[in-house]
Amino acid sequence: MTITLHVCITCRAGQTLSEGEVAPGKRLHGAILDAGVPDGVNVVPVECLSACSQGCSVALSAPGRWSYVYGRLSEDNAGDVVAGAAAYAAAPDGIVPWRTRPEIFRKQSLARIPPISSLSEAAE
């Protein structure tokens, strides 16, 4: 199954950017792509994840799985983001055992969102 790694490309990480300067979020996105994304991980740039006060952020999601938002990231974390996305892709429910997560995914989680229930499950 393909999972989605959303990367906020407009994030300024609290910086004032000069004209023409590339936003830290866009640099993170490029570094993730350069790090080599594993099969089954679809990287999608997004304009905002509403985690502006938490630095650069990414979100992992897939149908029927828990979703996660991580923040306080930089382009230096690209390899760990890719490793975390691969571990998430391998976890059937999206829950990667805490000790096997990259450290940034242990310490920089901003939100964990339950899977969306089907309409029949929600009615029960």
Side-chain angles (χ1 to χ4, degrees), residues 18-45:
S18 56
E19 189 173 330
E21 187 176 357
V22 177
K26 190 163 185 108
R27 291 195 310 261
L28 173 60
H29 178 257
I32 288 169
L33 295 176
D34 289 346
V37 180
D39 289 339
V41 177
N42 184 30
V43 179
V44 177

Side-chain angles (χ1 to χ4, degrees), residues 10-18 21-25 27 52 55-56 74:
T10 55
C11 181
R12 296 180 186 173
Q15 300 174 16
T16 302
L17 303 178
S18 56
E21 187 176 357
V22 177
R27 291 195 310 261
C52 304
C56 295
S74 74

Side-chain angles (χ1 to χ4, degrees), residues 41-61:
V41 177
N42 184 30
V43 179
V44 177
V46 295
E47 299 247 335
C48 186
L49 287 172
S50 289
C52 304
S53 66
Q54 298 297 320
C56 295
S57 58
V58 301
L60 285 166
S61 61

Side-chain angles (χ1 to χ4, degrees), residues 58-82:
V58 301
L60 285 166
S61 61
R65 296 181 188 209
W66 285 82
S67 297
Y68 293 86
V69 179
Y70 299 99
R72 300 180 300 278
L73 303 171
S74 74
E75 61 193 291
D76 294 337
N77 302 123
D80 286 333
V81 171
V82 169

